[in-house]
Amino acid sequence: MSCFVPFNNRNIDISIFAFKPTVVLVDELIESLKRFSVCTENLGCIQSSIFKSIHGNLIIWYGGWMKKSTETKEVLIKTLLSMLTSMSSMAILTQHSFFDSYAGESKDGSNAAKFSNGDIISLNLISSPCFNELQDVTYANLALFRSRFSKMDGATTGVCLKCQTMPMVACLYVWKSLLHCYSWILTSDFRKKELPYLDRFSPSVKYDIFWVVYVQESGGEIKN
């Protein structure tokens, strides 16, 4: 069983919910998010996954939905937030947004970034202080992606994402192994080669590495 992030936004809306756990052991939170994933099937979620930060204190829930109108998504968000209130004692919801995929590449000829339980994912997030810069930051993010992906030994696929409601873009990469991901981070010269693309935007740049700890497809059984 696997999830995928397509390289374009023609058919799927992508939702990302980020949680900061407030409990020492996060297994209970992850189990609650698994049950949440099953419940979202009735709302039209066709695939979902949970990412657990390897070094940080962050849990991400990813959901893929058939394309919806803006009004429908607003109602959906309210419904999802009401469903998550039961987890407020275990985590703080730090961010929730819908994203569009606008570019991507793979090294195996696929047209989507695919991942399964146990896979390694890295996520780079760039946020701008104002919406007026969103288009320029979107292009800068794409330029960064295209300049580095072919050089990223061990990265199998990557996809560029643009937030629908905030001036924020991201790149999601799927890796062959954690060692390959570490090797890239240690050998790439981010400050000299990549930050110049973003200097004029005064952006906030964050990145993290995650284990995929759960994958669910609509109609499938829970795998962990």
Side-chain angles (χ1 to χ4, degrees), residues 81-96:
L81 291 176
S82 67
M83 293 167 61
L84 289 168
T85 54
S86 62
M87 302 180 207
S88 59
S89 62
M90 294 180 283
I92 299 170
L93 179 62
T94 61
Q95 185 178 315
H96 60 86

Side-chain angles (χ1 to χ4, degrees), residues 13-88:
D13 278 318
I14 294 165
S15 61
I16 293 178
F17 287 66
F19 299 87
K20 184 176 181 181
T22 56
V23 290
V24 176
L25 300 176
V26 299
D27 290 350
E28 185 178 355
L29 171 62
I30 291 174
E31 290 300 319
S32 294
L33 286 173
K34 290 179 183 180
R35 293 190 289 271
F36 170 74
S37 288
V38 174
C39 292
T40 60
E41 290 185 28
N42 295 327
L43 300 174
C45 186
I46 60 173
Q47 59 173 355
S48 58
S49 187
I50 300 171
F51 310 152
K52 181 181 179 182
S53 174
I54 292 177
H55 300 288
N57 186 28
L58 194 66
I59 302 291
I60 286 181
W61 183 85
Y62 159 82
W65 311 77
M66 296 301 292
K67 294 293 290 185
K68 300 178 181 297
S69 67
T70 300
E71 294 79 9
T72 303
K73 277 185 284 193
E74 290 175 353
V75 174
L76 176 61
I77 285 289
K78 291 180 181 179
T79 302
L80 294 174
L81 291 176
S82 67
M83 293 167 61
L84 289 168
T85 54
S86 62
M87 302 180 207
S88 59

